[in-house]
Amino acid sequence: MDYCLSTHKIFSPHFLPSTVNSRELPSIFSPRLTVKFADRRLISTSTCLNWKVRPAVVVVARAGSSHCEPSSSNSFSLNTPLEPRSAAGKFLSSVFQNQRQLFHVAVAEELKLLADDRDGAVSRMLLSSGSDEASLHRRIAQLKEQECQIAVEDVMYMLIFSKFSEIRVPLVPKLSRCIYNGRLEIGPSKDWELESIHSFEVLEMIREHVSTVIGLRANSSVTDTWATTEIQRLQLGRLYVASILYGYFLKSASLRHYLELCLAVPHHDVHLSRRTSLQLPESSPYRISNLVFGHQSVSSGQKSRKQDQKRGNLRCYVMGFDAETLQRCAKLKSKEAVNLIEKHSCALFGDDKAGLLENDEVILTSFSSLKRLILEAVAFGSFLWDTEEYVNSVFKLNEN
């Protein structure tokens, strides 16, 4: 049986968020190994690795390929929609493929180098204030800020990619490589791996989200799963971005919930830092309030709150959010996160030449492929939250 999803408002990638101060995270690296990266070469204090970096290799599907070609379990290649643009990104790409055991050490050192570069340019600008060279150093600092922002976005993307590699899930490559004769098929599904990163309560909400946005019940039969539907590429892009935001929201809300359970403090008394959200229209079906409450309004969610609604249950806890709390948890923190979502989605769904979401073609696909995309997007949002917290503890991200 064929199903058809109704089309909604076209996705525009220019509505995206900003940074807040993150709490200091403990180092994830062993203090026993100190590695310095001078001119992007690895030099250990105890042993000289004398390892010269090879050019970053980005493995893509063969020209003329008619389907997605995920990496094998033995060789996880960088078949990502978005290719690194900065020297730091290309360097980490090469380290990931050739010296993966040093990847996280390399990330930490690159972030420190970027922070030092940016801070150094700002210091020189401040020292030159009032001199003849003030305007020159101000311009240098501006260019260095732009350069470092692009580089740190690449670092964040590589960190997110590494998290997917840890669960043996390749990112879906550019959608154009997965479409043949107007039909989109993505395999293998990797549903179990993508669901395994979430707690049981979060997973329940994700399954409800999947059912809501693509119309597939959690207990659907194999026949239903492989049934086909038509959907515009633009609409699919909107669903993907909305699901990234939902994954980010669930990560934020679940950690807030855990904190409140530990502290036994009513949720309305806990202060969260101010954040900036994606500005979706109030009527949009992809707003966080609609994704959380279904067809209910935020006010109806407030009315349904009864005596704090079993604070131990995540779904009841989220349903008890008022509009302000819901917005706080849903809003992104940094400009880098905003840019990363925009660039990744444009690379995945956009036109190969322009890189923009201007293609309104209608594609035929299975509900299985739709589910794969939605689960990947939710995981991407969750990983983005973790990555943003860690990076901000080393390199101060830009707040909107």
Side-chain angles (χ1 to χ4, degrees):
M1 177 184 296
D2 288 352
Y3 301 85
C4 183
L5 296 174
S6 60
T7 56
H8 297 285
K9 187 174 180 179
I10 292 176
F11 163 64
S12 173
H14 304 293
F15 61 111
L16 299 158
S18 152
T19 299
V20 299
N21 290 327
S22 299
R23 66 178 183 276
E24 198 71 21
L25 298 181
S27 174
I28 60 174
F29 308 121
S30 170
R32 298 179 181 177
L33 176 65
T34 302
V35 179
K36 298 294 182 182
F37 293 82
D39 297 327
R40 289 183 172 73
R41 295 183 184 181
L42 301 178
I43 306 175
S44 173
T45 54
S46 58
T47 304
C48 181
L49 300 180
N50 195 23
W51 178 74
K52 295 183 178 180
V53 175
R54 289 182 286 246
V57 179
V58 179
V59 181
V60 299
R62 295 189 304 269
S65 175
S66 60
H67 59 281
C68 292
E69 296 183 355
S71 310
S72 68
S73 58
N74 296 325
S75 177
F76 206 99
S77 61
L78 271 65
N79 190 16
T80 56
L82 188 61
E83 298 181 7
R85 299 155 296 161
S86 65
K90 293 175 182 178
F91 169 68
L92 291 177
S93 171
S94 182
V95 171
F96 186 87
Q97 294 178 90
N98 300 299
Q99 294 286 338
R100 194 171 305 184
Q101 71 276 14
L102 296 176
F103 174 74
H104 288 291
V105 181
V107 167
E109 193 64 28
E110 282 298 313
L111 288 174
K112 291 176 183 176
L113 288 173
L114 289 172
D116 290 344
D117 285 349
R118 184 179 63 176
D119 294 345
V122 172
S123 296
R124 288 189 293 273
M125 178 188 70
L126 295 176
L127 290 173
S128 66
S129 179
S131 69
D132 295 337
E133 298 178 345
S135 59
L136 173 62
H137 284 286
R138 183 169 57 252
R139 180 56 179 162
I140 292 174
Q142 291 173 348
L143 292 175
K144 180 60 68 175
E145 172 67 28
Q146 295 172 5
E147 177 186 330
C148 288
Q149 181 170 326
I150 293 174
V152 81
E153 288 170 13
D154 281 349
V155 173
M156 292 172 67
Y157 194 68
M158 286 302 304
L159 279 169
I160 292 172
F161 174 79
S162 72
K163 287 179 175 291
F164 275 101
S165 75
E166 289 171 6
I167 59 173
R168 312 306 302 172
V169 176
L171 284 170
V172 174
K174 290 180 181 290
L175 221 63
S176 57
R177 296 177 185 152
C178 302
I179 299 176
Y180 181 66
N181 286 342
R183 175 157 182 160
L184 169 67
E185 285 301 338
I186 303 170
S189 64
K190 295 290 185 177
D191 291 355
W192 185 90
E193 290 87 346
L194 289 167
E195 292 178 345
S196 67
I197 66 172
H198 307 291
S199 67
F200 178 75
E201 287 187 322
V202 171
L203 185 56
E204 280 188 325
M205 297 183 68
I206 291 172
R207 286 172 176 169
E208 289 179 7
H209 168 72
V210 171
S211 177
T212 300
V213 298
I214 69 175
L216 184 66
R217 299 186 308 274
N219 59 348
S220 297
S221 65
V222 175
T223 303
D224 291 335
T225 301
W226 286 100
T228 57
T229 182
E230 288 185 342
I231 185 171
Q232 282 188 326
R233 184 187 290 213
L234 291 169
Q235 183 191 357
L236 189 54
R238 284 183 61 86
L239 288 174
Y240 190 88
V241 171
S243 297
I244 291 178
L245 297 178
Y246 190 59
Y248 188 97
F249 163 79
L250 286 178
K251 186 71 173 184
S252 178
S254 61
L255 290 176
R256 177 190 172 103
H257 181 228
Y258 175 76
L259 176 63
E260 292 184 16
L261 288 178
C262 292
L263 299 177
V265 176
H267 69 270
H268 48 78
D269 290 337
V270 176
H271 173 71
L272 285 185
S273 299
R274 183 179 161 198
R275 299 174 182 177
T276 302
S277 66
L278 298 177
Q279 301 301 316
L280 291 173
E282 287 294 334
S283 59
S284 171
Y286 307 109
R287 289 187 65 82
I288 291 294
S289 58
N290 291 331
L291 296 178
V292 174
F293 301 124
H295 297 293
Q296 301 178 24
S297 64
V298 175
S299 60
S300 66
Q302 290 175 310
K303 293 177 182 178
S304 66
R305 186 175 8 169
K306 297 177 181 179
Q307 299 178 351
D308 224 14
Q309 286 196 338
K310 301 178 183 178
R311 287 174 50 243
N313 181 278
L314 179 61
R315 190 177 189 282
C316 290
Y317 171 78
V318 172
M319 290 291 288
F321 281 179
D322 56 27
E324 183 181 356
T325 305
L326 181 66
Q327 189 176 26
R328 266 198 209 108
C329 284
K331 291 174 182 177
L332 300 176
K333 296 179 289 187
S334 67
K335 290 181 179 179
E336 288 80 3
V338 176
N339 294 338
L340 206 53
I341 293 175
E342 178 180 339
K343 291 170 183 175
H344 173 69
S345 58
C346 283
L348 179 60
F349 294 95
D351 183 84
D352 282 335
K353 295 180 180 179
L356 301 174
L357 291 176
E358 297 178 347
N359 194 330
D360 61 352
E361 70 172 318
V362 176
I363 55 179
L364 183 68
T365 188
S366 66
F367 282 98
S368 176
S369 294
L370 287 178
K371 184 179 179 181
R372 167 71 170 83
L373 277 170
I374 298 302
L375 288 177
E376 177 187 291
V378 173
F380 191 101
S382 180
F383 291 153
L384 176 61
W385 197 98
D386 290 331
T387 297
E388 191 178 45
E389 287 286 292
Y390 166 65
V391 170
N392 194 57
S393 70
V394 182
F395 179 97
K396 173 65 176 169
L397 297 175
N398 293 296
E399 182 177 2
N400 279 350

